[in-house]
């Protein structure tokens, strides 16, 4: 019973390159959430998706960042033209519902380093 | 600004003693709170949750207390063990956010002294 799978675990990109982060939710989960964590900080909400739909992207920067959760395959967080400030750990969580007291399970995260 | 924050950034506890980690929140309309444990290099792990219509909830070796009057949340860990060493985050689900959007505090690092 695999949990939330994120890959890659570590990603190094040069400034200006694109970063693609993948998240496979737990089996049976159709709700996916992306969070960003800076060193010594708590997690910051970025985006909430259901299959093929973006429900809430209020925490995602307007430029360079995009997310998708296609009908088939993992959810993708895409960062174009990365800058040093994008260096952080990006966590994905999934749940089987989106209600108030839904328990979301987190993946191990992708640590992005922009050099 | 931050809606959720912690009083103490670090906490050192002797093995076998009880630990208390505190958290303050500012949104009185928040309805649901969660404590997460994050070990180095790993994702947050759910510990225990509580809804705003409760003031106490117990799990295995952990208890969460909610004081809505002063908007304070605490996590108590009984008989702290070395495996409890981690960063602990409180998080709240913002009522009216329209989606499952957790707001996390900065975290408290718990170090257990053997």
């Amino acid at each position: 019973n695999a949990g939330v799978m994120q890959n890659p675990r570590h990603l190094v990109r040069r400034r200006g390159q694109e970063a693609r982060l993948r998240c496979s939710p737990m089996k049976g989960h159709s709700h996916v959430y992306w969070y960003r964590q800076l060193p010594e900080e708590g997690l910051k909400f970025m985006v909430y998706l259901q299959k093929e739909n973006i429900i809430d992207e209020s925490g995602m920067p307007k430029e360079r960042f995009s997310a998708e959760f296609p009908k088939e395959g993992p959810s993708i967080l895409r960062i174009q033209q990365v800058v040093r400030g994008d260096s952080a750990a990006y966590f994905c969580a999934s749940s089987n519902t989106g209600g108030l007291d839904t328990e979301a399970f987190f993946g191990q995260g992708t640590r992005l380093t922009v050099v | 600004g931050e809606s959720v924050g912690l009083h103490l950034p670090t906490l050192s506890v002797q093995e076998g003693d009880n630990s208390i980690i505190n958290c303050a929140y500012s949104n009185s309309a928040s309805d649901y709170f969660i404590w997460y444990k994050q070990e180095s290099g790993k994702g947050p792990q759910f510990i225990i949750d509580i809804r705003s219509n409760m003031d106490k909830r117990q799990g295995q070796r952990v208890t969460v207390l909610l004081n809505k009057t002063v908007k304070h949340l605490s996590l108590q860990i009984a008989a702290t063990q070395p495996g409890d060493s981690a960063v602990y985050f409180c998080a709240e689900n913002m009522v009216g956010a329209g989606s499952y959007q957790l707001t996390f505090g900065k975290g408290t690092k718990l170090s257990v002294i053997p």
Side-chain angles (χ1 to χ4, degrees):
Chain A
N1 184 16
V4 178
M5 303 300 292
Q6 290 188 248
N7 70 83
R9 290 292 307 278
H10 300 274
L11 182 61
V12 179
R13 283 288 177 267
R14 295 185 186 279
R15 281 178 295 171
Q17 290 184 318
E18 178 180 287
R20 279 184 179 243
L21 288 61
R22 295 174 184 78
C23 170
S24 296
M26 284 182 69
K27 187 177 180 180
H29 286 190
S30 60
H31 300 250
V32 166
Y33 320 85
W34 285 93
Y35 286 80
R36 177 165 62 177
Q37 184 178 33
L38 297 172
E40 305 292 318
E41 296 277 334
L43 282 72
K44 304 287 188 190
F45 171 81
M46 297 181 74
V47 62
Y48 165 32
L49 310 104
Q50 292 181 35
K51 281 288 187 181
E52 300 184 273
N53 290 306
I54 295 174
I55 306 302
D56 180 355
E57 56 182 349
S58 60
M60 201 149 71
K62 296 282 189 288
E63 297 178 352
R64 301 188 299 107
F65 285 73
S66 62
E68 62 177 11
F69 188 17
K71 187 177 180 181
E72 301 291 338
S75 174
I76 306 287
L77 179 67
R78 183 183 177 204
I79 311 173
Q80 295 178 289
Q81 300 174 325
V82 296
V83 300
R84 289 230 170 96
D86 297 332
S87 295
Y90 292 83
F91 290 95
C92 168
S94 75
S95 66
N96 59 356
T97 65
L100 174 65
D101 52 358
T102 295
E103 182 177 347
F105 296 85
F106 282 84
Q108 301 274 46
T110 293
R111 279 147 187 84
L112 173 66
T113 303
V114 179
V115 296
Chain B
E2 289 285 346
S3 174
V4 178
L6 297 175
H7 293 306
L8 297 172
T10 60
L11 179 65
S12 294
V13 175
Q14 202 73 37
E15 181 178 357
D17 287 352
N18 297 334
S19 303
I20 299 176
I21 301 172
N22 296 304
C23 176
Y25 64 95
S26 58
N27 189 340
S28 57
S30 290
D31 203 301
Y32 179 58
F33 304 88
I34 310 170
W35 279 101
Y36 284 95
K37 173 186 180 183
Q38 186 176 26
E39 297 174 277
S40 180
K42 296 186 178 180
Q45 178 186 358
F46 174 93
I47 300 174
I48 192 168
D49 60 358
I50 189 168
R51 296 197 70 163
S52 61
N53 61 353
M54 303 171 68
D55 53 22
K56 180 178 180 179
R57 190 162 187 224
Q58 287 184 291
Q60 188 176 16
R61 281 202 308 120
V62 294
T63 301
V64 55
L65 299 176
L66 176 62
N67 185 331
K68 293 181 287 294
T69 302
V70 295
K71 291 182 282 190
H72 184 267
L73 195 68
S74 69
L75 176 70
Q76 300 178 2
I77 305 174
T80 312
Q81 302 168 1
D84 294 328
S85 294
V87 178
Y88 289 81
F89 294 95
C90 64
E92 64 180 304
N93 193 343
M94 305 291 284
V95 173
S99 73
Y100 189 77
Q101 183 185 122
L102 293 173
T103 298
F104 283 77
K106 279 188 164 58
T108 291
K109 183 176 180 179
L110 175 66
S111 296
V112 181
I113 304 166

